[in-house]
Amino acid sequence: MSIPSNFAIKDPLHQTTYLKNGELVAWKGKTDEVYSTISSTKEYKPTLLGTVPHMDKEAALDVLQSACDAYARGQGQWPTMKEAERIKCMENFVAQMKTKREEVVKYLMWEIGKNLPDSQKEFDRTVEYIEDTIEDYKQLDRDSSKFSKRDGVNAHIRRGPLGVVLCLGPYNYPLNETFALLIPAIIMGNTVVFKPAKHGVLLLSPLLEAFRSSFPKGVVNVIYGRGREVAAPIMATGKIDVLALIGNSTSAIALQDQHPYKNRLRLVLGLEAKNPAIILPDADLDLAIEECISGTLSFNGQRCTALKIVYVHEDIREEFNKRYAKKVDSLKFGNPWEEGVKLTPLPEPGKPQYIKELIDDALEKGARIINEKGGEISDNYIYPAVLYPVTKEMRVYKEEQFGPVVPVKPFKDIQEILDEMADSNYGQQVSLFGKDIQEIAPLIDTLVNLVCRVNLNSSCQRGPDVFPFTGRKDSAVGTLSVHDALRSFSIRTFVASKDNPYNNEILQKLLNSKTSNFVSTDYIL
Ligand code: G3H
């Protein structure tokens, strides 16, 4: 097995500190080993990548206190700071972050098995997200640097922070999705306790110093450990104002349940999805197959936006199945740094077995594997099986597989699918393939009420990150995009005064003296 020297793991990375109150504090307690399911030797053996602190309740609560102190119930330096100064901190952070690209990309490949181009894209897209967020924040500030007058009342309205945010990201986008929560939360003046996901944790180590040195103490805090042992006790204190989580509704609900004052808790959640592809009889099959390949199987289907069920019209199912299955078998499996690999090792050791269970269940209930390599299992992978015909009774129909298996279900009448989607607990996106506008138009009008993005003749995706990313039912709470996230992590708050000479003179003095960070009509250019 040859691993390019620039990607080889020479020494394990021992993350011996956590970030609290502006300091990288040494952790003396238990640690957890971090393994990659990628082998470094010919004989299969998971690779030890390093260790991270296994923090406990006491340590977690101590870290929470530093976030609370920095927020100081709205009176801290960070929540009351001028926008321009917060921007400077963020710019400093992103400048430092850019210097860590290679290290972060290397750990993305080892920890979660994402291929090299996609790992690089994740890094670059995140940098772009931060830069776009800064620009949008400046615009928000410009738009707010004015007074409104109505019914004899002058109002100066801005968006203010919400408080202390607990931020938990997912393993499939441990950098991008996590930062899509973290960055807007911070820039809006909140303080944050952030716990990386179980997989995709060491890749954050190269960025800890940038977090430490770019922001005032206590604004960003990083903890490690099990959700149950550290995140749950933090929630139970009632000191968290925003739960920002990308993951699944079971963990989101379990954490919310810990919070004693639920009405005070704002939720920003990206949750499960089972986005369908619908292939209408007049669809351009070349295009539909190409989009379904990337939609179902890029990053092995481990994307919340992945196409997780394919509905194909009876008239074209034979042709579609034959060509799609052949294309699936042509996808190259290998380690993330290998040229042209599309399928890569699964980061969760139990995943191949779980996918096998879904396949076995479907086979028992009458489906077939229609591609030759489907279901071939190895130490860290299971080759994508295309299952046909899938029925409602099968587990793979109901469960979000989040891995390499593709259920294909035939349909005759489009109404069946609309009803299935309406019945489903998911509501993120759909891909619709076809061109007859008489057919498509009424479908679009219904589908937009069942999900939050209808992708016409293209696979589902989150990006471009300036577009709203959200979902209905169990798929999301709140909206994320560069623009919307700034709103999700803030609240409108304002200064109002009756329009009379006495008040107006005070306001004028406030503006002229530039003594208030809030009451200010200065523009950030
Ligand atoms: O895991 C869900 C991600 O938000 C998907 O993002 O569509 O850019 O892969 P993506």
Side-chain angles (χ1 to χ4, degrees):
M1 150 129 11
S2 81
I3 298 171
S5 65
N6 49 333
F7 301 138
I9 298 290
K10 287 166 192 124
D11 297 303
L13 193 168
H14 296 293
Q15 178 59 47
T16 55
T17 56
Y18 60 98
L19 181 57
K20 186 197 87 169
N21 207 27
E23 267 179 61
L24 289 166
V25 181
W27 172 251
K28 305 274 185 235
K30 244 171 89 180
T31 58
D32 288 320
E33 291 183 325
V34 178
Y35 281 94
S36 170
T37 57
I38 301 171
S39 182
S40 311
T41 51
K42 209 159 174 220
E43 184 89 346
Y44 178 77
K45 193 167 142 255
T47 303
L48 177 67
L49 299 178
T51 54
V52 289
H54 182 117
M55 292 172 68
D56 51 23
K57 175 178 169 181
E58 200 192 337
L61 295 186
D62 185 39
V63 173
L64 170 65
Q65 196 52 50
S66 89
C68 293
D69 291 346
Y71 192 69
R73 293 179 294 175
Q75 301 165 64
Q77 179 197 8
W78 187 249
T80 54
M81 196 181 252
K82 258 193 196 325
E83 278 90 340
E85 287 169 36
R86 287 211 286 260
I87 288 173
K88 261 191 231 146
C89 296
M90 196 55 87
E91 284 171 342
N92 183 3
F93 174 76
V94 77
Q96 288 191 58
M97 176 178 168
K98 284 182 190 167
T99 66
K100 304 291 179 188
R101 183 176 189 262
E102 252 174 68
E103 281 168 83
V104 173
V105 164
K106 175 172 141 180
Y107 279 99
L108 268 171
M109 291 193 287
W110 278 98
E111 287 195 274
I112 61 160
K114 191 168 277 188
N115 71 28
L116 178 61
D118 284 352
S119 295
Q120 289 168 328
K121 192 166 141 205
E122 177 161 354
F123 188 93
D124 298 339
R125 174 182 176 182
T126 307
V127 167
E128 195 184 321
Y129 189 94
I130 301 174
E131 291 173 341
D132 286 350
T133 297
I134 292 173
E135 281 315 306
D136 221 82
Y137 184 57
K138 286 182 187 169
Q139 188 57 45
L140 184 62
D141 181 71
R142 284 180 213 122
D143 295 343
S144 317
S145 294
K146 59 171 199 275
F147 280 79
S148 319
K149 189 152 105 185
R150 175 79 200 221
D151 297 340
V153 178
N154 282 314
H156 190 42
I157 309 169
R158 288 184 180 277
R159 297 202 74 94
L162 292 161
V164 181
V165 179
L166 176 62
C167 179
L168 306 160
Y171 82 78
N172 64 333
Y173 278 93
L175 184 73
N176 181 263
E177 294 248 273
T178 309
F179 279 37
L181 300 174
L182 205 52
I183 299 301
I186 298 169
I187 209 168
M188 289 312 298
N190 303 285
T191 63
V192 177
V193 177
F194 156 47
K195 187 187 96 58
K198 187 166 171 220
H199 304 287
V201 48
L202 290 172
L203 64 97
L204 294 157
S205 294
L207 303 176
L208 286 187
E209 174 53 26
F211 274 127
R212 191 202 65 75
S213 60
S214 304
F215 300 101
K217 65 179 190 179
V219 171
V220 184
N221 304 276
V222 182
I223 57 169
Y224 299 90
R226 299 266 175 279
R228 243 174 293 122
E229 294 167 30
V230 292
I234 286 178
M235 290 298 288
T237 62
K239 292 181 180 170
I240 291 297
D241 300 291
V242 186
L243 173 63
L245 174 151
I246 296 189
N248 60 62
S249 54
T250 315
S251 32
I253 292 167
L255 286 171
Q256 282 171 66
D257 281 348
Q258 296 291 321
H259 202 289
Y261 319 115
K262 292 189 177 47
N263 56 308
R264 290 195 203 168
L265 181 66
R266 172 157 319 183
L267 300 172
V268 181
L269 309 175
L271 305 171
E272 56 266 31
K274 198 160 171 93
N275 294 340
I278 303 173
I279 327 278
L280 298 173
D282 67 341
D284 174 335
L285 276 194
D286 289 331
L287 178 63
I289 289 166
E290 194 185 309
E291 291 290 323
C292 282
I293 286 286
S294 68
T296 52
L297 291 172
S298 58
F299 193 38
N300 306 301
Q302 300 166 119
R303 295 162 56 230
C304 62
T305 49
L307 292 173
K308 299 195 180 97
I309 184 159
V310 178
Y311 290 100
V312 57
H313 193 272
E314 285 207 337
D315 292 355
I316 45 156
R317 64 148 199 251
E318 231 167 273
E319 185 66 10
F320 176 86
N321 283 357
K322 191 172 76 195
R323 285 164 58 188
Y324 174 76
K326 194 165 166 223
K327 197 105 193 206
V328 169
D329 279 345
S330 72
L331 298 175
K332 182 175 167 193
F333 170 76
N335 281 333
W337 42 82
E338 288 172 32
E339 189 70 33
V341 287
K342 293 284 184 230
L343 307 172
T344 47
L346 301 170
E348 295 173 288
K351 201 54 165 287
Q353 194 49 42
Y354 166 70
I355 298 288
K356 186 172 176 328
E357 281 169 24
L358 293 183
I359 296 173
D360 291 346
D361 171 78
L363 296 182
E364 256 171 50
K365 292 173 182 156
R368 285 174 293 116
I369 298 177
I370 61 167
N371 59 322
E372 276 174 28
K373 296 192 196 167
E376 282 174 10
I377 199 159
S378 60
D379 294 301
N380 56 15
Y381 202 63
I382 182 159
Y383 203 90
V386 184
L387 295 169
Y388 181 88
V390 161
T391 60
K392 284 185 185 175
E393 293 66 42
M394 298 173 186
R395 282 178 62 191
V396 75
Y397 172 84
K398 290 173 263 197
E399 294 175 29
E400 183 192 26
Q401 65 268 40
F402 217 78
V405 58
V406 186
V408 180
K409 191 170 184 287
F411 74 94
K412 217 191 256 173
D413 179 358
I414 191 71
Q415 190 56 45
E416 296 163 36
I417 300 177
L418 296 178
D419 289 340
E420 285 184 35
M421 286 177 68
D423 282 345
S424 126
N425 292 329
Y426 308 100
Q428 193 195 63
Q429 299 188 16
V430 65
S431 289
L432 181 63
F433 295 92
K435 62 171 180 286
D436 176 0
I437 59 155
Q438 298 302 331
E439 174 126 20
I440 286 175
L443 266 181
I444 290 178
D445 294 350
T446 300
L447 288 170
V448 287
N449 294 342
L450 298 179
V451 295
C452 287
R453 175 165 165 167
V454 177
N455 299 278
L456 202 51
N457 293 307
S458 56
S459 63
C460 298
Q461 60 175 31
R462 174 184 169 135
D465 289 327
V466 292
F467 291 154
F469 179 56
T470 183
R472 299 170 187 274
K473 297 187 267 188
D474 289 348
S475 289
V477 177
T479 302
L480 292 171
S481 74
V482 168
H483 179 81
D484 293 298
L486 294 176
R487 283 146 187 88
S488 297
F489 286 101
S490 61
I491 189 164
R492 299 224 294 167
T493 179
F494 66 107
V495 178
S497 57
K498 285 201 176 135
D499 185 23
N500 59 38
Y502 179 72
N503 282 336
N504 293 355
E505 191 188 332
I506 295 172
L507 284 179
Q508 198 58 59
K509 276 187 186 158
L510 273 170
L511 290 172
N512 293 346
S513 64
K514 300 189 191 297
T515 40
S516 166
N517 292 342
F518 190 98
V519 181
S520 161
T521 47
D522 285 354
Y523 282 86
I524 305 172
L525 293 171

mmCIF file of all heavy atoms in Angstrom, residues 88-98 130 179 183 207 210-211 214-215:
data_model
loop_
_atom_site.group_PDB
_atom_site.id
_atom_site.type_symbol
_atom_site.label_atom_id
_atom_site.label_comp_id
_atom_site.label_asym_id
_atom_site.label_seq_id
_atom_site.Cartn_x
_atom_site.Cartn_y
_atom_site.Cartn_z
ATOM 1 N N LYS A 88 -12.850 42.746 12.509
ATOM 2 C CA LYS A 88 -11.373 42.643 12.519
ATOM 3 C C LYS A 88 -10.938 41.299 13.119
ATOM 4 O O LYS A 88 -10.040 40.643 12.615
ATOM 5 C CB LYS A 88 -10.764 43.787 13.341
ATOM 6 C CG LYS A 88 -10.283 44.930 12.473
ATOM 7 C CD LYS A 88 -9.454 45.892 13.297
ATOM 8 C CE LYS A 88 -9.999 47.286 13.077
ATOM 9 N NZ LYS A 88 -9.938 48.167 14.225
ATOM 10 N N CYS A 89 -11.578 40.892 14.196
ATOM 11 C CA CYS A 89 -11.236 39.603 14.841
ATOM 12 C C CYS A 89 -11.474 38.459 13.851
ATOM 13 O O CYS A 89 -10.653 37.542 13.734
ATOM 14 C CB CYS A 89 -12.082 39.375 16.081
ATOM 15 S SG CYS A 89 -11.811 40.569 17.388
ATOM 16 N N MET A 90 -12.606 38.515 13.159
ATOM 17 C CA MET A 90 -12.949 37.436 12.225
ATOM 18 C C MET A 90 -11.961 37.417 11.043
ATOM 19 O O MET A 90 -11.572 36.352 10.565
ATOM 20 C CB MET A 90 -14.385 37.615 11.758
ATOM 21 C CG MET A 90 -15.003 36.419 11.109
ATOM 22 S SD MET A 90 -14.958 34.915 12.101
ATOM 23 C CE MET A 90 -16.448 35.051 13.076
ATOM 24 N N GLU A 91 -11.572 38.587 10.589
ATOM 25 C CA GLU A 91 -10.614 38.647 9.480
ATOM 26 C C GLU A 91 -9.271 38.063 9.902
ATOM 27 O O GLU A 91 -8.605 37.363 9.142
ATOM 28 C CB GLU A 91 -10.444 40.103 9.003
ATOM 29 C CG GLU A 91 -11.633 40.550 8.171
ATOM 30 C CD GLU A 91 -11.632 42.044 7.848
ATOM 31 O OE1 GLU A 91 -10.915 42.813 8.530
ATOM 32 O OE2 GLU A 91 -12.369 42.434 6.933
ATOM 33 N N ASN A 92 -8.908 38.356 11.117
ATOM 34 C CA ASN A 92 -7.664 37.817 11.654
ATOM 35 C C ASN A 92 -7.747 36.282 11.687
ATOM 36 O O ASN A 92 -6.826 35.571 11.275
ATOM 37 C CB ASN A 92 -7.465 38.410 13.056
ATOM 38 C CG ASN A 92 -6.166 37.979 13.687
ATOM 39 O OD1 ASN A 92 -5.374 37.276 13.059
ATOM 40 N ND2 ASN A 92 -5.957 38.372 14.919
ATOM 41 N N PHE A 93 -8.912 35.786 12.136
ATOM 42 C CA PHE A 93 -9.089 34.330 12.208
ATOM 43 C C PHE A 93 -8.955 33.685 10.827
ATOM 44 O O PHE A 93 -8.212 32.717 10.648
ATOM 45 C CB PHE A 93 -10.449 33.977 12.817
ATOM 46 C CG PHE A 93 -10.729 32.502 12.772
ATOM 47 C CD1 PHE A 93 -10.117 31.642 13.664
ATOM 48 C CD2 PHE A 93 -11.563 31.965 11.796
ATOM 49 C CE1 PHE A 93 -10.329 30.265 13.593
ATOM 50 C CE2 PHE A 93 -11.782 30.590 11.711
ATOM 51 C CZ PHE A 93 -11.164 29.743 12.618
ATOM 52 N N VAL A 94 -9.660 34.233 9.851
ATOM 53 C CA VAL A 94 -9.661 33.580 8.534
ATOM 54 C C VAL A 94 -8.271 33.651 7.884
ATOM 55 O O VAL A 94 -7.854 32.717 7.186
ATOM 56 C CB VAL A 94 -10.810 34.114 7.635
ATOM 57 C CG1 VAL A 94 -10.520 35.475 7.051
ATOM 58 C CG2 VAL A 94 -11.147 33.126 6.543
ATOM 59 N N ALA A 95 -7.547 34.731 8.167
ATOM 60 C CA ALA A 95 -6.185 34.837 7.608
ATOM 61 C C ALA A 95 -5.315 33.708 8.173
ATOM 62 O O ALA A 95 -4.560 33.049 7.445
ATOM 63 C CB ALA A 95 -5.587 36.196 7.931
ATOM 64 N N GLN A 96 -5.436 33.456 9.461
ATOM 65 C CA GLN A 96 -4.649 32.369 10.078
ATOM 66 C C GLN A 96 -5.128 31.008 9.579
ATOM 67 O O GLN A 96 -4.335 30.101 9.339
ATOM 68 C CB GLN A 96 -4.789 32.414 11.592
ATOM 69 C CG GLN A 96 -4.068 33.573 12.240
ATOM 70 C CD GLN A 96 -4.044 33.379 13.754
ATOM 71 O OE1 GLN A 96 -3.539 32.376 14.258
ATOM 72 N NE2 GLN A 96 -4.577 34.339 14.487
ATOM 73 N N MET A 97 -6.436 30.894 9.436
ATOM 74 C CA MET A 97 -7.010 29.614 8.996
ATOM 75 C C MET A 97 -6.456 29.207 7.634
ATOM 76 O O MET A 97 -6.117 28.040 7.410
ATOM 77 C CB MET A 97 -8.536 29.745 8.946
ATOM 78 C CG MET A 97 -9.229 28.508 8.422
ATOM 79 S SD MET A 97 -11.023 28.710 8.454
ATOM 80 C CE MET A 97 -11.497 27.282 7.471
ATOM 81 N N LYS A 98 -6.355 30.192 6.733
ATOM 82 C CA LYS A 98 -5.903 29.879 5.372
ATOM 83 C C LYS A 98 -4.524 29.221 5.349
ATOM 84 O O LYS A 98 -4.216 28.463 4.447
ATOM 85 C CB LYS A 98 -5.866 31.163 4.540
ATOM 86 C CG LYS A 98 -7.217 31.644 4.089
ATOM 87 C CD LYS A 98 -7.019 32.883 3.251
ATOM 88 C CE LYS A 98 -8.321 33.568 2.962
ATOM 89 N NZ LYS A 98 -8.126 34.920 2.432
ATOM 90 N N ILE A 130 -16.812 32.129 5.245
ATOM 91 C CA ILE A 130 -16.464 33.122 6.281
ATOM 92 C C ILE A 130 -16.337 34.503 5.629
ATOM 93 O O ILE A 130 -16.855 35.502 6.139
ATOM 94 C CB ILE A 130 -15.160 32.733 7.011
ATOM 95 C CG1 ILE A 130 -15.316 31.363 7.660
ATOM 96 C CG2 ILE A 130 -14.793 33.789 8.047
ATOM 97 C CD1 ILE A 130 -14.052 30.803 8.289
ATOM 98 N N PHE A 179 -18.666 25.157 10.851
ATOM 99 C CA PHE A 179 -18.343 26.583 10.778
ATOM 100 C C PHE A 179 -19.530 27.397 10.268
ATOM 101 O O PHE A 179 -19.648 28.577 10.555
ATOM 102 C CB PHE A 179 -17.108 26.804 9.896
ATOM 103 C CG PHE A 179 -15.818 26.554 10.640
ATOM 104 C CD1 PHE A 179 -15.711 25.547 11.574
ATOM 105 C CD2 PHE A 179 -14.706 27.351 10.410
ATOM 106 C CE1 PHE A 179 -14.531 25.313 12.271
ATOM 107 C CE2 PHE A 179 -13.522 27.137 11.099
ATOM 108 C CZ PHE A 179 -13.431 26.118 12.034
ATOM 109 N N ILE A 183 -19.461 30.386 12.833
ATOM 110 C CA ILE A 183 -19.009 31.717 12.378
ATOM 111 C C ILE A 183 -20.121 32.771 12.508
ATOM 112 O O ILE A 183 -19.890 33.823 13.116
ATOM 113 C CB ILE A 183 -18.434 31.629 10.934
ATOM 114 C CG1 ILE A 183 -17.227 30.681 10.909
ATOM 115 C CG2 ILE A 183 -18.111 33.002 10.363
ATOM 116 C CD1 ILE A 183 -16.064 31.053 11.812
ATOM 117 N N LEU A 207 -6.501 24.529 13.982
ATOM 118 C CA LEU A 207 -7.187 25.827 13.992
ATOM 119 C C LEU A 207 -7.389 26.396 15.403
ATOM 120 O O LEU A 207 -7.847 27.521 15.572
ATOM 121 C CB LEU A 207 -8.553 25.695 13.308
ATOM 122 C CG LEU A 207 -8.504 25.173 11.868
ATOM 123 C CD1 LEU A 207 -9.904 24.973 11.313
ATOM 124 C CD2 LEU A 207 -7.726 26.147 10.977
ATOM 125 N N ALA A 210 -5.649 29.636 16.166
ATOM 126 C CA ALA A 210 -6.279 30.769 15.471
ATOM 127 C C ALA A 210 -7.517 31.228 16.244
ATOM 128 O O ALA A 210 -7.740 32.433 16.411
ATOM 129 C CB ALA A 210 -6.651 30.371 14.048
ATOM 130 N N PHE A 211 -8.289 30.280 16.749
ATOM 131 C CA PHE A 211 -9.452 30.661 17.565
ATOM 132 C C PHE A 211 -8.992 31.378 18.838
ATOM 133 O O PHE A 211 -9.551 32.398 19.232
ATOM 134 C CB PHE A 211 -10.256 29.416 17.972
ATOM 135 C CG PHE A 211 -11.267 28.974 16.945
ATOM 136 C CD1 PHE A 211 -11.289 27.666 16.485
ATOM 137 C CD2 PHE A 211 -12.201 29.860 16.446
ATOM 138 C CE1 PHE A 211 -12.226 27.254 15.546
ATOM 139 C CE2 PHE A 211 -13.150 29.463 15.507
ATOM 140 C CZ PHE A 211 -13.159 28.159 15.058
ATOM 141 N N SER A 214 -7.508 34.982 18.006
ATOM 142 C CA SER A 214 -8.263 35.971 17.212
ATOM 143 C C SER A 214 -9.390 36.640 17.975
ATOM 144 O O SER A 214 -9.824 37.729 17.599
ATOM 145 C CB SER A 214 -8.851 35.309 15.966
ATOM 146 O OG SER A 214 -7.858 34.696 15.215
ATOM 147 N N PHE A 215 -9.888 35.965 19.009
ATOM 148 C CA PHE A 215 -11.084 36.495 19.688
ATOM 149 C C PHE A 215 -10.783 36.762 21.160
ATOM 150 O O PHE A 215 -9.927 36.080 21.752
ATOM 151 C CB PHE A 215 -12.235 35.490 19.569
ATOM 152 C CG PHE A 215 -12.604 35.206 18.139
ATOM 153 C CD1 PHE A 215 -12.167 34.046 17.511
ATOM 154 C CD2 PHE A 215 -13.349 36.124 17.413
ATOM 155 C CE1 PHE A 215 -12.475 33.798 16.180
ATOM 156 C CE2 PHE A 215 -13.665 35.884 16.086
ATOM 157 C CZ PHE A 215 -13.234 34.723 15.463
#
